[in-house]
Amino acid sequence: MVNSSEKLSPWSSRNAAELYGIDEWSSGYFGISAEGEVIVRAPTAEGETQVSLMEIVDGLQQRGLQMPVLLRLENLVDKRISTLNDSFALAIEASGYQGQYRGAFPIKVNQQSHVIAEIARFGERYNHGLEAGSKAELMIALATLKNRESLIICNGYKDPEFITLGLQARKLGFKCFFVVETLAELPHIIERSQALGIEPLIGVRLKLSTKVEGHWSEDSGDRSLFGLNTNELITVVDELRKANLLHCFQLLHFHLGSQIPNIRSIRAGVLEACRYYIELVAEGAPLGYIDLGGGLAIDYDGTSSTSGHSRNYSVQEYCIDVVEAIQECLDEHQIVHPTIVTESGRATVAHTAVLLFNILDVTHFEPTEPLGELPQDCHEMIQNLWHSLSVIKPANLQESYNDLLYYRDKIRDLFHSGDISLRHRALGENIYWAGMQKVASLVPQLKRVPAELESLQEQIADIYYGNFSVFQSLPDSWAIQQVFPVMPIHRLNEEPNRQAIIADLTCDCDGKLQKFAGPVGESKTLSLHPIRAGEEYYLGVFLVGAYQETLGDLHNLFGDTNVASVRINTDGSIDFVHEIHGDSIADVLSYVEYEPNALYQQFRQTAEQAVRDGIISVADRQQMLAAYSEGLRGYTYFEK
């Protein structure tokens, strides 16, 4: 219910869209309705259908899925695969390129069974394949892919068992490539293929000199961890020729990073790889595939820049530049255009998942009660602090800020020495926070902001406590300071007048979000609404479909969240096609080698001894055991 003062407010959903940058980072898949709720713009067979996230939240709650929930949107998986394949098809047609495109989704980006099944199903019409970096991932690919025209790209270190499995895939008719990452793998590939009588499809990963920007810059350049240098590449050619397997060398691979922000770096890498391609063809290798690996970036912060959280190009521009660069290089040497392969994982699934959670509590850094008259027996330092508050104005903000800090510290020293009471110290803290709030409110009036006052808004920002774990659901925000778009999913037709950071449920100082996508770049606080008594307040963290689930850990034994996959139909109805209840406390205890039944029996013995000792009654014992048993079955997150 919107009250009359909110109706008169000039704030609108359009203002909210600008504040949170949703039109910039969402690629058009999310927006804000006139009612102030975040909507999903879901591609369907007959166009686009809009559904409110709050409607989905209501459906989740009716199905017993409490917050936090990881929401997967099947329509967006389908759309992202179509966008990538259709964009390459358009670029190939426009340039007259004679080869084709094949995608391969890296399983490591999101290994969840339902996600991989969706990618295989939606990608089948495009012959979209999978990339496997381990034996386990190869087994997933072999069991999931039905289309034998889809590629299976085997990266990572490969032992004889891995190679044998891949060769069996070749025997089944799959186009399964072994990409040689180190020279030590080559003898195993040769030996296993000869022993089984199955010819392998072989690729080689290059170690390019091209450097890129962003978090994953170490994946590129001479000191990159993976790939072969020029001398090692010649050794591969010679060893394959000696084993009469040079005709199996059909793919050239390179990978410059998971999120490449600058299109010029991508083009430079392609041009450098093409020089290797030309020389290897001259050496007699019948190459027919060039694999760019991953790197197709997404715009996490909405700035369309070369920051590590963004990119300065679109999917279509990426495809055009790749196709034109390869064509430009190879046409000069009359070399047949190869099949272009990319292992775009982040760009395929990041948009498809949203972490939803509710806010449990808020800490404010402001007076806890209105300031009235000073008590008669106040210490001189409290009186000085009060005076400092009363004289604050734009002309003396720096001086006032200094005085507030000085007298607050003096009052704390007096408390430590026992010279003022707890109540008087609390009064001093109230006056101090009132002063800081007043200084912060006047800072925007200054033409030049002193350095100390630039971060004042961050110092007095609220702390909103979210029902989730950063370490379980958003590990990249902690590990590599990845910025994810965060915003309320409702009340967006009301102006959010609180500045906040977000803390999670873990007992860890790193368990927080304090970097946010803003309208002019990264911000250290987020605009949020005041919490209303008796009402839930929901936030969403967007673009979390890549890497976050698999990388999550059990910090404080917070387990996997509830998960729901939905399909939005043309008529706006929602199919809840897949539901997984998150880890119970018993589940996470078993992960760290506790046996829940044994714990229950140990607690039963403790309770029974308390009965014998006369501390509790038998009825108390039964209630305690029931509560303990119910707790083992409970959700690891906050339950209402």
Side-chain angles (χ1 to χ4, degrees):
M1 184 73 179
V2 180
N3 63 41
S4 58
S5 63
E6 289 165 351
K7 289 180 180 178
L8 296 174
S9 170
W11 187 265
S12 69
S13 297
R14 182 66 254 160
N15 298 117
E18 293 173 358
L19 174 65
Y20 296 109
I22 192 170
D23 295 337
E24 285 70 41
W25 53 255
S26 73
S27 298
Y29 301 129
F30 299 97
I32 302 176
S33 69
E35 293 73 31
E37 297 178 353
V38 172
I39 54 171
V40 184
R41 297 189 181 109
T44 64
E46 299 180 18
E48 181 182 277
T49 301
Q50 297 184 359
V51 170
S52 168
L53 283 183
M54 288 300 291
E55 182 180 348
I56 296 175
V57 167
D58 184 56
L60 293 172
Q61 293 176 334
Q62 291 177 27
R63 290 163 174 80
L65 292 174
Q66 297 190 50
M67 295 291 121
V69 175
L70 183 72
L71 175 67
R72 298 187 189 131
L73 300 159
E74 276 197 6
N75 305 64
L76 300 192
V77 179
D78 191 354
K79 180 61 176 178
R80 294 303 292 176
I81 290 173
S82 297
T83 295
L84 183 59
N85 283 275
D86 292 345
S87 295
F88 263 113
L90 287 171
I92 286 170
E93 181 180 5
S95 65
Y97 190 83
Q98 298 302 303
Q100 56 187 345
Y101 169 73
R102 290 287 183 268
F105 177 78
I107 296 174
K108 67 177 177 286
V109 174
N110 193 321
Q111 295 137 328
Q112 304 304 313
S113 173
H114 192 65
V115 175
I116 299 301
E118 289 173 0
I119 288 169
R121 178 162 63 94
F122 296 136
E124 186 170 5
R125 65 187 184 273
Y126 295 108
N127 302 317
H128 206 92
L130 296 169
E131 182 267 341
S134 67
K135 285 181 282 189
E137 290 183 350
L138 179 54
M139 290 177 179
I140 291 171
L142 290 175
T144 306
L145 290 176
K146 306 303 179 188
N147 184 350
R148 289 185 175 83
E149 289 301 309
S150 301
L151 302 182
I152 300 176
I153 306 294
C154 296
N155 290 321
Y157 290 99
K158 292 168 276 293
D159 63 12
E161 187 177 17
F162 191 155
I163 294 162
T164 297
L165 189 61
L167 289 170
Q168 298 294 352
R170 287 283 299 125
K171 196 169 184 176
L172 287 170
F174 286 102
K175 294 182 177 179
C176 181
F177 278 91
F178 298 118
V179 177
V180 177
E181 305 257 4
T182 70
L183 286 180
E185 297 172 4
L186 190 59
H188 294 304
I189 295 173
I190 294 172
E191 186 277 325
R192 288 283 77 207
S193 66
Q194 291 174 341
L196 296 173
I198 304 171
E199 287 198 339
L201 289 174
I202 295 175
V204 166
R205 178 168 177 171
L206 296 174
K207 184 178 289 189
L208 298 182
S209 60
T210 301
K211 291 286 291 181
V212 302
E213 302 91 339
H215 289 306
W216 291 271
S217 60
E218 292 186 4
D219 280 353
S220 61
D222 295 334
R223 291 287 295 171
S224 59
L225 298 178
F226 304 104
L228 305 184
N229 60 33
T230 53
N231 287 324
E232 292 168 328
L233 189 58
I234 293 298
T235 299
V236 169
V237 171
D238 292 343
E239 291 298 315
L240 287 176
R241 182 179 284 117
K242 188 187 303 181
N244 294 317
L245 291 175
L246 186 58
H247 61 282
C248 298
F249 186 179
Q250 297 185 26
L251 180 143
L252 194 64
H253 170 69
F254 67 94
H255 177 73
L256 295 176
S258 174
Q259 161 103 353
I260 305 175
N262 196 331
I263 190 64
R264 291 187 294 277
S265 300
I266 294 170
R267 190 176 183 95
V270 172
L271 292 173
E272 183 182 357
C274 283
R275 282 300 309 145
Y276 284 92
Y277 193 99
I278 293 163
E279 293 299 323
L280 287 168
V281 169
E283 285 281 339
L287 295 175
Y289 298 81
I290 185 166
D291 182 351
L292 283 64
L296 174 56
I298 62 169
D299 193 356
Y300 285 102
D301 63 14
T303 59
S304 298
S305 68
T306 57
S307 79
H309 310 301
S310 186
R311 81 286 181 271
N312 65 355
Y313 55 92
S314 64
V315 173
Q316 190 64 58
E317 184 181 355
Y318 170 85
C319 297
I320 290 171
D321 274 31
V322 167
V323 170
E324 288 182 349
I326 295 172
Q327 186 173 11
E328 173 188 317
C329 269
L330 300 191
D331 281 356
E332 185 180 345
H333 298 269
Q334 291 81 52
I335 293 176
V336 175
H337 298 166
T339 295
I340 299 170
V341 181
T342 68
E343 301 169 15
S344 299
R346 188 182 299 275
T348 303
V349 295
H351 295 84
T352 66
V354 183
L355 175 68
L356 301 171
F357 63 92
N358 55 320
I359 295 298
L360 303 175
D361 199 5
V362 182
T363 293
H364 300 294
F365 294 87
E366 59 188 20
T368 56
E369 58 186 36
L371 295 174
E373 299 261 336
L374 278 183
Q376 294 296 320
D377 59 344
C378 271
H379 193 281
E380 180 185 2
M381 291 298 108
I382 295 180
Q383 295 179 32
N384 291 342
L385 187 61
W386 179 270
H387 176 74
S388 299
L389 168 64
S390 67
V391 298
I392 296 172
K393 53 189 176 183
N396 68 355
L397 282 194
Q398 179 68 70
E399 179 184 353
S400 296
Y401 174 81
N402 296 340
D403 289 345
L404 290 169
L405 284 173
Y406 175 78
Y407 291 122
R408 183 206 62 180
D409 291 344
K410 282 293 185 183
I411 291 167
R412 289 180 175 179
D413 290 342
L414 289 167
F415 175 74
H416 294 158
S417 63
D419 292 321
I420 65 169
S421 69
L422 176 62
R423 289 188 178 277
H424 279 182
R425 172 168 173 176
L427 173 61
E429 297 286 345
N430 261 357
I431 298 170
Y432 168 77
W433 287 118
M436 285 297 176
Q437 291 286 344
K438 187 172 182 180
V439 170
S441 70
L442 295 175
V443 165
Q445 298 183 27
L446 301 182
K447 292 183 178 179
R448 291 187 178 181
V449 179
E452 284 186 296
L453 301 187
E454 288 179 350
S455 61
L456 181 56
Q457 191 62 63
E458 301 157 29
Q459 298 173 37
I460 63 173
D462 298 335
I463 301 175
Y464 277 53
Y465 294 91
N467 188 14
F468 75 108
S469 164
V470 163
F471 305 97
Q472 175 59 241
S473 296
L474 302 170
D476 276 350
S477 69
W478 165 73
I480 59 172
Q481 287 73 58
Q482 176 66 57
V483 171
F484 294 99
V486 186
M487 64 181 294
I489 64 170
H490 60 140
R491 293 179 59 185
L492 293 164
N493 52 1
E494 308 168 31
E495 184 171 5
N497 56 14
R498 307 299 305 185
Q499 292 300 307
I501 66 168
I502 300 171
D504 71 2
L505 294 182
T506 65
C507 302
D508 196 303
C509 62
D510 286 335
K512 60 190 174 186
L513 300 177
Q514 57 180 358
K515 291 185 178 181
F516 305 98
V520 291
E522 185 179 303
S523 172
K524 294 185 178 179
T525 60
L526 181 68
S527 297
L528 295 175
H529 303 90
I531 302 300
R532 292 173 178 160
E535 290 186 21
E536 292 282 17
Y537 188 53
Y538 295 104
L539 302 188
V541 186
F542 296 79
L543 310 186
V544 299
Y547 294 105
Q548 302 316 297
E549 287 184 79
T550 302
L551 291 177
D553 70 14
L554 293 174
H555 199 302
N556 281 109
L557 296 186
F558 287 108
D560 287 340
T561 67
N562 292 325
V563 177
S565 289
V566 302
R567 182 81 184 175
I568 298 169
N569 302 311
T570 302
D571 62 0
S573 62
I574 304 166
D575 292 336
F576 288 79
V577 296
H578 194 69
E579 300 171 30
I580 301 176
H581 284 265
D583 287 332
S584 68
I585 291 174
D587 291 333
V588 298
L589 288 172
S590 67
Y591 298 156
V592 288
E593 301 177 11
Y594 289 94
E595 172 51 55
N597 287 334
L599 289 175
Y600 177 82
Q601 291 303 322
Q602 290 168 18
F603 181 71
R604 187 194 67 78
Q605 292 171 12
T606 300
E608 184 63 27
Q609 184 63 50
V611 171
R612 288 196 293 269
D613 294 341
I615 298 173
I616 61 173
S617 68
V618 173
D620 291 335
R621 170 193 179 277
Q622 291 305 100
Q623 290 177 352
M624 292 177 182
L625 291 178
Y628 194 91
S629 179
E630 184 179 354
L632 286 171
R633 297 189 298 271
Y635 198 18
T636 61
Y637 295 92
F638 187 88
E639 296 180 275
K640 296 262 181 175

